[in-house]
Amino acid sequence: MTDMIRISLQPDVAAEKWGKKVSLTPTAEGFQIHLDSKQPARSIQKAARQLDGLGIEQVELSGDGWTLELQWAFYLGFTSAKKLNGVQWYGEEATQLQQLASCFGWARQITNQTPEQLSPEALAHEAIEFLTPLAPDSISHRVIRGEELLTEGWVGIHGVGRGSERPPVMLVLDYNPTGNADAPIDAVLVGKGITFDSGGYSIKPSESMSYMKCDMGGAATVAAALGLAIQKGLSHRVQLVLCCAENLISGHAYKLGDILTYKNGTTVEILNTDAEGRLVLADGLLYASETGAPLIIDAATLTGAAMVALGNDYNALFALDTALQQRALGYANLVQEPTWPLPLAPWHQQQCPSPYADTANSRPIKGGGSGGASNAAGFLSRFVPEGGKGWLHFDLAAAFNSSNTGLWAAGATGMGIRAIAETLRQEAGKV
C-alpha cells in the first residue's frame, strides 16, 4: 500500500447519487475517472483539471486502460504553471512519457517566465542549456547579438529589437549527429522569440499586452520539438534558428513608415509595429534558405486572426507545398495534437501592398483586416526558396491560454511540440 493518491479509469458512468454527467468520483485509494467513450482523452483531461483544482500535488495512475495517450491527456490537464510535475506514470510507456514531460515542462516553464526574467539573450541561452546535454558531442551553437545582426544583414530581428536596452539576438544551434562537419543540413526549425511584445508604437491595450510574455512561444515550441526528436533517436542534421527580441518603445525603436531591406532584396514598409513576428521570422527563413535544407518548419504565436478562426483548441498550419502539408496534418493527428489547415496561395504575397516598398508588413486596418493569418503567411512565403517547396508554417493559436479553461490551466500548453517533432522525424532526410 502507498499513501499516494491513486487515479484509475472506469468505463461505466457514475452512480446516480453523484449527479448527472459526473466524470470524477472518489474511491478508497483516490479517485476514478468515468470515461466518455466518444472522447476519452478529452474527458480525462477535464477530470485532471478538477483534481488540480482540489489542490492535489501528486498522483499515481493505476489499473487497466491507461494507454500512453490517455496518460498524456491526464498530465496536460493536471499540470499547471506552478506544478509541472506530480504524475507517476503507469506501465511500460513511462520512459516515453517522461521524455514528453521533460520537453513540455521546459517549454511551458520558459514561456510562463516573466518578461523581466527572460531577455532575448537569456532565451537563447536557456535553449542552449536545455538542448546541449541531450547530445553534447553533436551540438554546437552561435549567438549573433545586437549590432552584429545588422552587420550580417539580419535587419528584421535588429529592427524589431533595437528599441530595447536588452539587445536582440539570433541563435543558430546545429545538431549534427553524423560527425561529419560537411554533412548536408536536412532540416531547419525557425522560431519566433519575442520575449515581450508591447506592440511598439502600434501599442497594445493593457488587456492584450498583459500576457505578451507568451510571444516567444514559437521559439520554445521548436526548441522543445528538437529536444523531443533527439531523445527519440533523430539521426539527421538539423539546425535550430531562434529569432529573439523585445518589441518596446523608445527613442531608438523602429517606427511606422520605416522601410527594411532584407538580404534577398525584398523591401518592407512598416505599417504596424505590432506585426513584428513576421519581420523577425523573415530573417530566420532567409537563414534557413541559405543552408539549402529541403525541409523548413517555422512556428510562431503570430496572429490573433488564427485564434479567431480556430479558437484555442487548434494550431493553424500553412503551406504552399500541399503534399507536405497533408503529411504533416497526418503526423499531428497521429500524436493527437489538433491542427487545421488555413488557406495560403501565391497571391497572398500581394495582400499587404505598399506604394514605397515591395510589400508592407500589414494592412492599415485594425487587426490587419480580413484574412490576416493567411496574409501573414503570404508575407513569410516571400522568404522561402523554390516557391515554398518543403516549407511549413505553424501559427500557434493553441499554445497559450490567458486564463484557466476546462481543459487547461492558465499559461503555456506546449501544443505544437509533438506535431513538429513527429514531422521532423518523419520528413528529415527524405529528399
Side-chain angles (χ1 to χ4, degrees):
M1 293 294 289
T2 176
D3 291 332
M4 183 79 74
I5 294 175
R6 290 185 174 181
I7 309 299
S8 59
L9 298 180
Q10 172 57 255
D12 299 326
V13 299
E16 287 187 9
K17 66 178 181 179
W18 298 111
K20 295 181 179 179
K21 297 182 179 180
V22 173
S23 60
L24 190 69
T25 57
T27 66
E29 297 178 327
F31 293 89
Q32 58 185 353
I33 298 173
H34 300 270
L35 290 178
D36 180 339
S37 60
K38 295 181 180 178
Q39 43 185 7
R42 193 174 177 90
S43 64
I44 285 175
Q45 190 168 341
K46 286 183 175 180
R49 287 295 309 126
Q50 295 176 44
L51 288 168
D52 176 56
L54 295 176
I56 297 171
E57 293 294 323
Q58 293 190 342
V59 298
E60 176 187 3
L61 307 183
S62 66
D64 296 331
W66 283 110
T67 65
L68 182 146
E69 293 301 340
L70 295 184
Q71 290 187 69
W72 187 240
F74 184 92
Y75 169 88
L76 294 177
F78 184 69
T79 52
S80 67
K82 295 180 180 179
K83 181 185 64 186
L84 291 171
N85 295 297
V87 179
Q88 186 171 318
W89 310 111
Y90 177 79
E92 298 176 354
E93 294 154 329
T95 298
Q96 294 182 62
L97 287 160
Q98 188 52 46
Q99 289 174 347
L100 282 170
S102 68
C103 294
F104 271 68
W106 177 82
R108 293 169 74 183
Q109 182 264 330
I110 287 295
T111 305
N112 290 333
Q113 277 193 19
T114 70
E116 186 61 29
Q117 289 173 312
L118 197 69
S119 68
E121 201 164 6
L123 172 57
H125 285 289
E126 289 278 6
I128 294 165
E129 291 173 10
F130 166 65
L131 290 167
T132 301
L134 300 178
D137 296 329
S138 301
I139 288 179
S140 58
H141 66 270
R142 182 177 178 226
V143 177
I144 309 166
R145 180 180 185 274
E147 295 304 307
E148 293 175 338
L149 291 163
L150 203 56
T151 301
E152 297 193 21
W154 306 121
V155 297
I157 301 172
H158 179 272
V160 170
R162 76 186 199 195
S164 172
E165 293 182 356
R166 303 196 287 187
V169 303
M170 175 191 277
L171 168 65
V172 178
L173 184 141
D174 188 2
Y175 170 69
N176 185 4
T178 69
N180 176 9
D182 297 321
I185 297 168
D186 291 305
V188 180
L189 302 178
V190 180
K192 173 187 172 184
I194 303 298
T195 56
F196 186 71
D197 182 18
S198 72
Y201 281 108
S202 304
I203 193 167
K204 293 178 181 290
S206 294
E207 60 269 23
S208 299
M209 198 193 304
S210 61
Y211 54 88
M212 277 298 106
K213 62 185 179 183
C214 78
D215 217 17
M216 39 61 62
T221 297
V222 290
L226 177 57
L228 181 58
I230 290 171
Q231 291 185 75
K232 288 181 173 292
L234 180 67
S235 60
H236 296 280
R237 187 178 184 184
V238 176
Q239 290 197 341
L240 173 74
V241 181
L242 303 187
C243 308
C244 308
E246 285 184 315
N247 186 20
L248 300 181
I249 297 172
S250 75
H252 194 49
Y254 77 132
K255 301 171 287 296
L256 284 79
D258 283 348
I259 292 178
L260 301 179
T261 302
Y262 282 86
K263 290 184 78 172
N264 67 348
T266 299
T267 55
V268 178
E269 182 187 8
I270 308 304
L271 289 185
N272 186 344
T273 61
D274 196 23
E276 84 298 330
R278 64 201 72 180
L279 298 176
V280 302
L281 285 176
D283 280 339
L285 293 173
L286 283 172
Y287 175 90
S289 301
E290 290 178 357
T291 70
L295 176 66
I296 299 172
I297 303 173
D298 78 73
T301 49
L302 199 65
T303 67
M307 296 174 67
V308 170
L310 301 178
N312 291 106
D313 295 313
Y314 284 78
N315 286 327
L317 178 61
F318 295 87
L320 292 168
D321 186 337
T322 54
L324 175 61
Q325 183 184 47
Q326 288 303 308
R327 295 197 300 273
L329 290 168
Y331 304 142
N333 184 63
L334 181 68
V335 297
Q336 298 188 26
E337 283 197 340
T339 308
W340 199 259
L342 288 183
L344 178 61
W347 54 262
H348 279 107
Q349 288 188 1
Q350 312 303 324
Q351 291 298 96
C352 297
S354 166
Y356 307 107
D358 296 325
T359 184
N361 73 324
S362 185
R363 298 169 67 189
I365 305 169
K366 184 177 181 180
S370 59
S374 294
N375 295 343
F379 177 92
L380 295 178
S381 72
R382 291 174 173 269
F383 302 93
V384 295
E386 299 186 60
K389 182 180 179 181
W391 167 60
L392 295 169
H393 164 53
F394 284 81
D395 196 332
L396 301 174
F400 190 89
N401 290 299
S402 57
S403 59
N404 293 325
T405 73
L407 288 172
W408 299 97
T413 66
M415 289 294 97
I417 293 172
R418 295 183 74 190
I420 293 172
E422 190 63 24
T423 302
L424 183 62
R425 292 179 62 241
Q426 299 275 3
E427 293 292 327
K430 264 193 173 183
V431 178

